[in-house]
Amino acid sequence: MSKKFYLLFFVAAVILSSCHSRRAAMRGEPGEIVKPDASIAKKYSEMLGVDKSDIQNGRLYAFIDQWMGTPYKFGGLDKEGIDCSGLAFLLEQQVYGLNIPRNTGLQVAIIKRKYEEDLKEGDLVFFDYNGKKFSHVGIYLQNGYYVHASTTKGVIIVKLHDPYTYKYFSRAGSVMDVPVTAEN
């Protein structure tokens, strides 16, 4: 084979390898706390207004980074589109190793209620939109922020006390480890 072929092969390999996603990889196993990449810690500490050392769950923030900006799609469960309960379902499963129901109405039934000031990363926060009880869910992060699948902006992080959303806030709590059944 000619030098030209090897050179072309080398250039193509370099270009393709440099085009890989810059999204953080989820290391470790579900339920395991792994140290985040420095870039992830920096990005989310700035976003949440906390010290870099407060971003400790690398799996959580790598998961969020992978889904950030994914458009909202009712019933969606992939990068083409996801809804709020689908995001909570996948996050709890892939980050914490917990199997929760797919539906928001069932998700609220498997939490241990908490006061807002007692919320921890991974707790679920529920909202009552359009007069419907528990019609929306997000996942609490820290410092008053949560991640959710917004119907207009896709997967985003917002303040729990955001003037628009907080008036619909209705319940929050920790996921209880319950067995998954056919109806979940």
Side-chain angles (χ1 to χ4, degrees), residues 8 12 29 51 78 120 163:
L8 183 60
E29 296 297 320
D51 192 80
D78 59 32
K120 304 278 187 239

Side-chain angles (χ1 to χ4, degrees), residues 99-101 106 178-184:
N99 291 312
I100 67 170
L106 296 173
V178 295
V180 175
T181 64
E183 59 204 47
N184 290 0

Side-chain angles (χ1 to χ4, degrees), residues 101-130:
R102 171 66 177 84
N103 174 290
T104 305
L106 296 173
Q107 289 173 348
V108 74
I110 57 105
I111 64 165
K112 180 179 180 186
R113 288 180 77 172
K114 284 185 168 181
Y115 292 110
E116 188 180 324
E117 60 270 10
D118 297 327
L119 292 174
K120 304 278 187 239
E121 279 183 344
D123 288 345
L124 300 181
V125 291
F126 293 90
F127 301 84
D128 300 340
Y129 286 113
N130 302 320

